[in-house]
Amino acid sequence: MAKEMIAMLLAGGQGSRLYTLTQKLAKPAVPFGGKYRIIDFPLSNCVNSGIDTVGILTQYQPLVLNEYIGNGQPWDLDRLHGGVHVLPPYQKATGSDWYKGTANAIYQNINFIERYDPEYVIILSGDQICKQDYSDFLRFHKEKNAEFSVAVMEVPWEEASRFGLMVSDENDKITEFQEKPKEPKSNLASMGIYIFNWDILKKYLIEDENDPESENDFGKNIIPSLLRDKREMYAYHFSGYWKDVGTISSLWEANMEVLDPENSGINLFDDDWRIYSRNSGMTGHRIGEEAVLENCMITDGCSIDGKVKHSVLFAGVKVEKGAVIEDAVIMGGSTIKEGAQIKHCIIAENVVIEKNAVVGEMPNGDKKGVATVGSNVTIGEGAIVGPDAMVSADVKGGDKA
Amino acid sequence: MGILFPNSYDSLVPELVTERLMASIPFASRYRLVDFMLSSMVNCGIDNISLIVKRNYHSLMDHLGSGREWDLTRKKGGLNIIPPFAQKTVNIYNGRVEAIASIIDYLKRQKEKYVIMADTNIAVNFNFSKLLQRHIDSGADVTIAYTKEDIPKALRDIDVTKKDLYYTLDIDGDGRVQKIVVNNKENGVHNVSMNIYVIERQLLIDQIREAYVNGLTYFERDIISPQLDKLNVKAYQHDGYFARIMDINSYFAENMKMLKEENINALFSPNPVYTKIRDDNPTRYADGSHAKNVMAADGCVIEGEVENCILFRGVKVGKGAKVRNCVLMQDTVIETGATVEYAITDKNVKITSYKELKGTESFPVFVEKRKQV
């Protein structure tokens, strides 16, 4: 039974600019917003847009991601025909290959896509925070009789040079593609979300694979080839919230923006476009007698007896009496003990911050680093972790990092 | 295999069961009473569980669905909700004997050797494995689980004409039950039955058949009690945490006990308690909010003052609102400046701006589902 459109979600990236947070974790599995992981956004977008077949291409450290996806049931992608499928690189009769690039990853899974005989394929990125209706994107693609469409976002002209830019005419037809140019001709940044007619995609993937000079990348190879052959290419304007959370500071910022839905543009409290995730199964959170909470987000299973201001706490976080937390993102299962001072930082999963330790500092003039403590680390009693620190191993009591 | 009776003691909490039954009464911010018995059974390896319902069971069916969240969507066994037995007319059963008689054919076809039966008015993390092992080791015909406590006033106040009975047990040195007293009105500590029984399936079938034919109604009163010399009935004490819901006051009090960390830890361990998932986002405590001594589930937005409260999923407390000593069920909305004290609000209740609603500790005000104040 053929599907109209299936989704291929690129989730193999390392996210190296997240350092300790992605040491053992693929970037799409990085926790976000109290109870989600980054990949929940593209997955929920798919199911909310009516796409019920999603291939997730994994490569880097996929264990946590694979276990998290499971059979896809939390996203309603546990289907008889279709559903979610995790696609790691695999061995074939003629040998095996890691995914060499974004296009190569899709190329190696042509057989998977053929099983559903789709008319269209949407290529998604697993590392962006974005609420998007892909069915509207498909409607645009069909209206324009496009063979290839890319979702683009307007960015400030001063920033345009940082992005891959699409230059288009008044009909949204793409005339040129500029990769991080010194002199931008457009301020429409590619979001890395593409809709292809399947036959076109297949043709260009095969052609690209047979080119030994190619880097097998969509942006660097496939799109220029399409342009060269004057294919029907269109740019779909997206104007909602979009955040690439590839750096520590952007990840921290995006989490903080969740606390301010009225102004930041990201509203997780939207009943019409639910973001699904795998639930922790913990009880409701408990706020104690002496707890003081100001502008924060608390998830199930938390136990709060200290002061928490302008922070996002994930499931099962324990904050003891006398602990003071501000501007922080504290991921699941971590414990902050009495007297600890946690400021302007990211604390990963299952971390223990012992009594009176200090992590991070509130921004002060030039100093505005976001301290980061990696998962399963213990910060000893009275230890101090500076605002620019990136901690991935235990810090002994009294030490400085 | 397990059998649960979700309607037991319905009549004691009329306010809460107008459109639901005891088993689906919300508890502890994101659960329903049935979740505790169900999860305890599943965690102890019991995966063939039947719920014999009587009336108002739509909310229970909606909550349980296919049983997936409790790991009970199985090919063999799993979750079975059994509505009133319908032959030529729908016959709502009267008493446990009739209830079990209505599924006798089903019972005969099962393969499990033992049956564990329970009501759903007690929230507890029960160790059914230990209970079953004790039953097998002792060679008893029936084992009844009990707690050692003062008979709760709510039970002692039960009208003698009400159909819900409670039992206290006289136990000898060997742990054998010598006497069962119905609706004991004495003061002091007694062995109060939890209405949890283990019995061999075949024995249960025989006993029920016999009892039904003789027009008997209640399991403990009519089958067990008269045969205490013939049957070897042993007792098993549960000494862990439990919350027995017997009236609106105990409902309020037991929820309030969940504000203490040691109680939460006691009730939710050693095994997790599963419940239906609603995919809410984490709760937001906005600027100007003030929360102290609160247990809240996901999806809430708190802008006002909340003290000593249990908040279920999706509760909204507006700016300037003051909410103290309340149990607010799912999606309750307390608007700007409202004051609410000692109240229990059912689902989707709205307390409009600046309204005042105050109950007292001994008389919490109850607001029905979807009502606007």
Side-chain angles (χ1 to χ4, degrees), chain A residues 283-284, chain B residues 26-33 35-37 39-40 43 121-127 194 238-245 253-274 295 310:
Chain A
T283 68
Chain B
F27 185 76
S29 84
R30 57 189 291 263
Y31 303 94
R32 299 209 183 226
L33 286 176
D35 294 330
F36 296 89
M37 277 301 170
S39 302
S40 295
N43 285 326
N121 69 321
I122 304 182
V124 62
N125 213 301
F126 197 87
N127 194 338
M194 291 176 87
H238 171 78
D239 51 11
Y241 188 89
F242 66 98
R244 199 190 284 259
I245 309 299
E254 290 298 344
N255 266 296
M256 285 295 146
K257 275 162 87 175
M258 289 285 101
L259 293 174
K260 290 213 165 15
E261 197 174 1
E262 61 265 23
N263 292 339
I264 300 177
N265 290 338
L267 182 58
F268 291 96
S269 61
N271 291 317
V273 179
Y274 309 110
M295 181 191 223
I310 304 281

Side-chain angles (χ1 to χ4, degrees), chain B residues 161-195:
Chain B
T161 58
K162 282 247 160 74
K163 297 223 206 86
D164 290 297
L165 308 175
Y166 64 95
Y167 307 98
T168 53
L169 315 171
D170 284 352
I171 306 171
D172 71 14
D174 283 325
R176 186 166 173 175
V177 180
Q178 291 297 335
K179 187 159 172 232
I180 296 182
V181 180
V182 181
N183 288 6
N184 192 332
K185 304 274 183 206
E186 276 175 23
N187 283 323
V189 174
H190 281 84
N191 302 318
V192 185
S193 167
M194 291 176 87
N195 292 18

Side-chain angles (χ1 to χ4, degrees), chain A residues 35 269 282 285 287 295-296, chain B residues 30 280-281 283 285 293-294 296:
Chain A
K35 71 181 269 205
F269 301 84
M282 299 194 191
H285 61 267
I287 313 287
N295 201 7
C296 20
Chain B
R30 57 189 291 263
D280 284 297
N281 37 266
T283 286
Y285 290 88
N293 220 7
V294 169

Side-chain angles (χ1 to χ4, degrees), chain A residues 358 379 383-391 393 395 399-401:
Chain A
V358 175
I379 304 290
I384 300 182
V385 176
D388 295 303
M390 173 68 57
V391 179
V395 176
D399 275 1
K400 273 199 170 126

Side-chain angles (χ1 to χ4, degrees), chain A residues 35-36 73 78 261 268-269 274 276 279 282-289 295-298 300 303 318, chain B residues 29-31 68 261 264 268 277-285 287 291-296 298:
Chain A
K35 71 181 269 205
Y36 309 97
Q73 193 268 323
D78 171 22
L268 291 182
F269 301 84
R274 279 239 161 123
Y276 301 101
N279 274 251
M282 299 194 191
T283 68
H285 61 267
R286 184 192 66 88
I287 313 287
E289 270 292 336
N295 201 7
C296 20
M297 229 165 136
I298 311 286
D300 276 346
S303 187
K318 192 166 154 69
Chain B
S29 84
R30 57 189 291 263
Y31 303 94
R68 169 181 266 148
E261 197 174 1
I264 300 177
F268 291 96
I277 291 181
R278 212 174 85 148
D279 290 307
D280 284 297
N281 37 266
T283 286
R284 195 173 147 214
Y285 290 88
D287 265 329
K292 237 184 211 347
N293 220 7
V294 169
M295 181 191 223
D298 276 354

